Amino acid sequence: MSEFRNLLGETIDRLLADHVTKETVQGAEEGTWPEGLWSALEENGLTRLMASEAQGGAGGSWGDALVLLRAQGRYAAPVPLAETMVAAWLLSEAGLDVPDGPLTLLTGVPLSDDGTLSGTAQHVPWGRKAVVGVALVERTDGKHHVVSAPLNGVTMTEEENIAREPRDTIAFDQHAVTSAPCDLTEGLETWGALMRSGLMAGGLDYLLTQSVEYANDRKQFGRPIGKFQAVQQQLAVLATQAAAAGAIVAHACERVGETDDPGFEVAVAKTRIDEAVNLSTSISHQVHGAIGFTYEHGLHLVTRRLWSWRAEYGSGRSWAARLGRQTIERGAEALWVDVTAR
């Protein structure tokens, strides 16, 4: 890991350890905005990590952003850090201004020929807190255009996912926006899936750490349950799943800036991490017994986020289907060449 990423990791770990507690997460689920946490992230420039230097950012890559995404997932930090980083990156890619404050991502809203936005964006992360929503719209010229939509004055219905994170519905009616073309070849679902994959890799790190710690502390028949071979075998499977998830998303983050087909790496990552979440949450709760299901336990909070993020920006099944369709279209002769070329 580079010196810059080491510094990023130390900074975000220290900041989240100081500001994110179980009470902070539970308070956010009840509607309390963690202003101190968000201010600290902005003051340290972390929300603009992926924005260009010309836009006041650090010009960071997806590999750099993964350091922050995994930390946010590991701490279940209840703020739109991931969405703001990605939105700022999209705005920079199109040369649009990056505003201060929380940003969010919009899907499912077309850009009209008159340059306004009309339609309904559903499941908007942290829409009620965001100052600007950013969409990535493919136009008739085949190019993707980045859309910057101020959210003051829009009609909004507040909703939540199963982790009780804001996922609002926003209606636009000839809403004035700013837009510009960019060189990105993939739509927002791809970048959203990569963002969620990074968060889930961090959540799986948490599951492994907590499960090993609990297995070493909890005693049964006079010795820690981690000494029993059956539990050890389950922890070994959990460790391999967490390691596989971390490796595949790290590979995807490094490759998306180097390839003309970043959708393949993202599809593989989201599909593999979906499987890892299925297995790992089950094992982690079995190791903890019933205690992990209680609202007071951190495992409960992280598990609900993993299950929510798994379903967002395409499930593992839908990404696997995309990979299957692409394989069929390329033909049997291209399979070996295509796989080994990566």
Side-chain angles (χ1 to χ4, degrees):
M1 186 178 287
S2 69
E3 186 176 343
F4 177 61
R5 291 182 187 176
N6 281 331
L7 179 61
L8 269 180
E10 292 171 3
T11 301
I12 189 69
D13 265 329
R14 183 174 63 251
L15 192 153
L16 294 182
D18 287 344
H19 290 84
V20 181
T21 63
K22 185 173 60 181
E23 289 72 24
T24 306
V25 180
Q26 291 173 333
E29 293 189 0
E30 297 298 327
T32 301
W33 171 250
E35 183 60 41
L37 169 61
W38 182 256
S39 296
L41 291 168
E42 284 199 314
E43 289 168 3
N44 282 275
L46 299 179
T47 57
R48 287 176 176 257
L49 174 66
M50 297 178 74
S52 67
E53 294 182 10
Q55 303 281 15
S61 66
W62 272 97
D64 299 328
L66 180 60
V67 176
L68 304 191
L69 292 172
R70 289 185 75 160
Q72 183 178 5
R74 194 162 57 247
Y75 282 87
V79 286
L81 172 62
E83 289 81 1
T84 300
M85 280 199 302
V86 175
W89 171 66
L90 291 172
L91 292 170
S92 291
E93 287 289 311
L96 298 175
D97 291 337
V98 179
D100 293 328
L103 309 177
T104 190
L105 303 170
L106 306 173
T107 55
V109 280
L111 184 63
S112 304
D113 292 338
D114 62 359
T116 63
L117 208 62
S118 294
T120 302
Q122 296 181 322
H123 311 301
V124 179
W126 302 90
R128 72 197 67 169
K129 291 295 180 184
V131 295
V132 163
V134 176
L136 192 55
V137 180
E138 187 173 3
R139 304 301 302 273
T140 53
D141 60 3
K143 290 187 70 69
H144 282 98
H145 289 235
V146 178
V147 178
S148 176
L151 297 183
N152 57 310
V154 299
T155 302
M156 188 177 306
T157 303
E158 296 187 355
E159 299 178 75
E160 300 174 338
N161 61 13
I162 62 171
R164 301 190 67 187
E165 294 176 314
R167 294 293 185 267
D168 302 321
T169 297
I170 302 177
F172 296 96
D173 183 13
Q174 294 187 311
H175 193 68
V177 299
T178 305
S179 67
C182 67
D183 293 328
L184 297 173
T185 57
E186 292 285 336
L188 190 55
E189 185 177 54
T190 297
W191 306 116
L194 185 56
M195 175 182 71
R196 290 288 182 257
S197 295
L199 292 171
M200 287 191 287
L204 291 171
D205 291 339
Y206 174 87
L207 260 58
L208 176 61
T209 301
Q210 290 300 310
S211 297
V212 170
E213 184 176 313
Y214 183 81
N216 286 328
D217 290 343
R218 178 78 167 90
K219 292 184 178 179
Q220 192 65 271
F221 305 114
R223 57 179 178 165
I225 61 172
K227 296 295 184 183
F228 292 95
Q229 191 173 25
V231 175
Q232 290 175 348
Q233 194 275 336
Q234 290 294 296
L235 290 174
V237 174
L238 174 54
T240 59
Q241 294 301 315
I248 197 69
V249 72
H251 174 75
C253 285
E254 296 299 336
R255 285 285 293 162
V256 293
E258 304 171 352
T259 175
D260 294 331
D261 182 22
F264 178 86
E265 272 74 16
V266 176
V268 172
K270 192 70 158 57
T271 303
R272 182 63 185 86
I273 292 179
D274 182 288
E275 180 184 3
V277 167
N278 286 341
L279 291 168
S280 300
T281 51
S282 174
I283 290 172
S284 187
H285 280 275
Q286 287 176 20
V287 170
H288 278 78
I291 193 172
F293 284 94
T294 59
Y295 187 67
E296 290 74 17
H297 202 286
L299 185 60
H300 177 97
L301 301 174
V302 175
T303 297
R304 282 189 290 113
R305 279 156 181 77
L306 285 170
W307 288 346
S308 297
W309 297 336
R310 178 182 59 179
E312 295 176 343
Y313 300 105
S315 65
R317 177 175 295 185
S318 67
W319 282 104
R322 169 174 163 163
L323 288 172
R325 285 194 299 272
Q326 291 175 343
T327 301
I328 293 171
E329 289 169 1
R330 291 188 182 108
E333 295 77 11
L335 178 60
W336 179 251
V337 175
D338 191 52
V339 171
T340 55
R342 298 174 188 276

